[in-house]
Amino acid sequence: MGKTLKILVCGKKSIGKTALLEQLVYNNYNINQKYFPTIEDIYVACWEKDKGVKEKIRLYDTKGMENSRDSETINQMRYLFPLVDGIALVFASNDPDSIHCIEKLKTEIEKFNRERRTREPFHFVLIDYTAMVPPTEPSRETVRSDLQSKLKAQCYEIISLEKRDALCKPFIELAQLITQINTKGTISIKKPKVFSSKQ
């Protein structure tokens, strides 16, 4: 077993972070299940690389921001910043406030990183997850491409939780960025459940 990779998953409140992680790790998302607001939770997965090397991935599910002016939630999250290797910012391209939230989060995280000057910059991925949010406007490709260039991070669109391969891809890509190994792999959870990054 290699090193444990730590990934922070954050974004706006009720955007679907917990549902996304439940399906990714345990394959037990239920559309009728009621989710209570997360304070903090940790999910553990195992990333199996092509060469047979396994690395543990610890996914930190965090309390969502109320809105882009919610500095209290960011302050509560700050103690996690020095612990993680990468960050998945979850938003919905059909919810403008969720976009403002991830922009604010990325700014604050980079500011924190500059203040510490003790580590390499964080690796980020953007996850456009529109399944949980009633649309205020249509999901737009231009929103994703603008965010991708503005925040300098790869953006992945997830429309449905039923396609676990699509859920797996951003986290494998982030793990590859962190470890600087350009390889494909799989993530297995609780040995009988396996899903692959190959589509």
Side-chain angles (χ1 to χ4, degrees):
M1 183 75 68
K3 70 175 263 187
T4 299
L5 306 178
K6 299 174 194 96
I7 296 173
L8 183 65
V9 180
C10 47
K12 185 183 169 192
K13 179 181 176 182
S14 300
I15 206 72
K17 300 179 297 299
T18 301
L20 191 147
L21 289 171
E22 282 286 322
Q23 179 67 359
L24 173 76
V25 176
Y26 300 118
N27 193 26
N28 71 353
Y29 170 68
N30 180 350
I31 197 163
N32 298 319
Q33 182 178 346
K34 182 178 179 183
Y35 286 94
F36 297 97
T38 302
I39 296 172
E40 183 182 307
D41 206 351
I42 300 172
Y43 294 81
V44 178
C46 185
W47 175 33
E48 297 175 2
K49 297 186 203 175
D50 283 339
K51 295 177 183 175
V53 178
K54 293 183 180 181
E55 293 196 23
K56 194 182 288 184
I57 301 176
R58 194 173 297 241
L59 301 156
Y60 293 88
D61 186 11
T62 58
K63 176 183 177 184
M65 294 175 67
E66 293 287 337
N67 55 50
S68 57
R69 294 173 301 285
D70 183 5
S71 56
E72 182 182 335
T73 301
I74 294 174
N75 287 335
Q76 291 170 354
M77 263 190 250
R78 281 179 80 84
Y79 80 95
L80 286 171
F81 296 167
L83 304 177
V84 299
D85 304 303
I87 298 170
L89 297 171
V90 183
F91 72 101
S93 57
N94 56 3
D95 179 358
D97 198 41
S98 74
I99 295 167
H100 298 313
C101 285
I102 65 162
E103 290 173 338
K104 173 76 172 176
L105 272 165
K106 187 156 192 294
T107 302
E108 289 297 319
I109 292 164
E110 287 177 336
K111 177 181 166 190
F112 173 84
N113 212 27
R114 280 193 307 273
E115 289 169 359
R116 288 186 51 99
R117 294 184 201 170
T118 56
R119 58 175 296 151
E120 306 250 335
F122 288 109
H123 295 284
F124 289 87
V125 291
L126 307 174
I127 300 174
D128 180 11
Y129 178 49
T130 55
M132 298 288 285
V133 181
T136 54
E137 54 187 90
S139 172
R140 295 170 297 171
E141 181 64 39
T142 55
V143 170
R144 282 190 293 279
S145 61
D146 289 348
L147 265 177
Q148 191 166 283
S149 57
K150 182 177 181 180
L151 300 182
K152 296 180 178 80
Q154 185 67 38
C155 186
Y156 299 87
E157 181 183 21
I158 296 175
I159 302 167
S160 166
L161 289 180
E162 292 170 9
K163 297 181 179 178
R164 291 185 76 209
D165 289 350
L167 287 176
C168 176
K169 190 168 173 93
F171 294 98
I172 286 180
E173 295 290 332
L174 184 54
Q176 289 172 350
L177 278 172
I178 293 165
T179 58
Q180 298 298 309
I181 295 173
N182 190 13
T183 179
K184 291 192 176 184
T186 61
I187 293 180
S188 66
I189 313 310
K190 298 203 177 202
K191 294 184 182 176
K193 295 177 182 158
V194 177
F195 60 98
S196 171
S197 64
K198 295 171 186 167
Q199 299 206 24

